[in-house]
Amino acid sequence: MISFSRRLRLLLPALGLALFLAAPSLAGDAVFQYSTIDALLAGLYEGDMTMAELARKGDFGLGTLNGIDGELVVLDGVGYHVSAGGAAVVAPGAAAIPFATVSFFGGDRTLDLGTIDSLAALNEAVVAGLPSKNVFWAIRIDGVFPSVKARAIPKQSPPYDPLAEVAKQQVVVTLSGEGTLVGYYSPPFVKGVNVPGFHWHFLTADRARGGHVLDCSLNPTTALLDELRTLTVRLPASAEFDGLDLSGDKTGELHAVEKGPAKGE
């Protein structure tokens, strides 16, 4: 008869594997990404991952929907589709995405923020409070915003132009009041895969409006920071992705998309 201690030793490896596969919380320090920012810049606006699938990868994050249809904000486990003009609705589970970054938000640290008068000032304040600039950080900021300049791009139809051209159609709105910033800091070495530095989306407190943040001001509040040391990237399984030329440096195009001209300014 096999002793209890030996049975336990034999079961431990299998038990450990089962726990790893069954418990997403054990990977709570991980960021999941679908596709790459350079593929999006090149005009790959059709993905094969649905919102329902994305929800299993994280309860916090940002991205866009197929056809570069507005902005995606994932907050408290709900994915919100923000269309051009700023209106936000819950995204259907069957909706597909071409690009997204999500994680299970834990809030490892807090950072007190004073009055912030611009997005540049916010980025400076947050980066000064990061223990390391070589890892990923999910950042949640709930507060009162005197002003948020947010954009969303109207849904496109094929054949698609590169994102730097499409972004010229973005519609900018100015929002104010209570709301939440959903953001990520990514280290410099992710260039081409994700957005190095900060990427912010916004939702109003009633979850009715939002967008990709171009600028903002903020009353004193506390930021929640979640340290992420594991990156998982799932690439689209499509002939379009396989045929892209991703060999060049798209830094200039990314800057144009983040800061370029827009309607409504």
Side-chain angles (χ1 to χ4, degrees), residues 28-255:
D29 66 342
V31 57
F32 173 86
Q33 180 178 319
Y34 177 75
S35 194
T36 72
I37 193 64
D38 272 9
L40 195 70
L41 288 167
L44 185 66
Y45 304 152
E46 301 289 338
D48 58 1
M49 187 172 202
T50 66
M51 287 296 304
E53 293 175 290
L54 187 68
R56 295 194 287 270
K57 303 298 185 180
D59 58 10
F60 177 94
L62 45 76
T64 186
L65 277 74
N66 273 6
I68 204 80
D69 184 7
E71 305 291 341
L72 172 65
V73 189
V74 181
L75 184 60
D76 295 328
V78 180
Y80 297 90
H81 171 212
V82 182
S83 58
V89 297
V90 175
I97 59 170
F99 177 83
T101 304
V102 295
S103 56
F104 288 100
F105 193 84
D108 301 316
R109 299 172 179 268
T110 60
L111 176 65
D112 291 333
L113 298 172
T115 300
I116 299 291
D117 61 7
S118 69
L119 183 60
L122 174 63
N123 291 345
E124 289 177 7
V126 174
V127 81
L130 296 180
S132 173
K133 301 177 186 65
N134 296 327
V135 301
F136 297 85
W137 295 90
I139 309 159
R140 174 173 179 159
I141 304 177
D142 297 284
V144 177
F145 297 80
S147 177
V148 177
K149 185 161 73 170
R151 71 104 186 272
I153 297 171
K155 185 176 182 179
Q156 303 294 299
S157 299
Y160 295 123
D161 291 324
L163 189 55
E165 287 300 315
V166 170
K168 295 176 183 179
Q169 302 175 31
Q170 66 188 7
V171 179
V172 176
V173 297
T174 300
L175 308 171
S176 62
E178 295 184 1
T180 302
L181 282 175
V182 171
Y184 284 95
Y185 168 86
S186 298
F189 58 76
V190 302
K191 183 176 73 171
V193 177
N194 207 314
V195 179
F198 293 97
H199 188 178
W200 300 99
H201 285 191
F202 179 76
L203 273 180
T204 54
D206 62 5
R207 309 297 191 249
R209 305 199 78 195
H212 171 97
V213 178
L214 298 173
D215 204 359
C216 69
S217 58
L218 173 63
N219 290 351
T221 190
T222 299
L224 298 177
L225 311 177
D226 192 15
E227 181 180 315
L228 306 167
R229 288 183 174 265
T230 300
L231 171 65
T232 298
V233 179
R234 173 176 155 181
L235 300 176
S238 67
E240 290 78 12
F241 178 82
D242 291 349
L244 287 176
D245 180 4
L246 299 176
S247 61
D249 185 346
K250 297 185 182 298
T251 302
E253 294 175 49
L254 179 59
H255 180 76

Side-chain angles (χ1 to χ4, degrees), residues 11-30:
L11 284 172
L12 279 176
L15 179 61
L17 177 60
L19 287 172
F20 174 79
L21 294 174
S25 60
L26 295 182
D29 66 342

Side-chain angles (χ1 to χ4, degrees), residues 6-16:
R6 184 175 179 185
R7 288 202 303 270
L8 183 61
R9 287 197 301 272
L10 292 172
L11 284 172
L12 279 176
L15 179 61

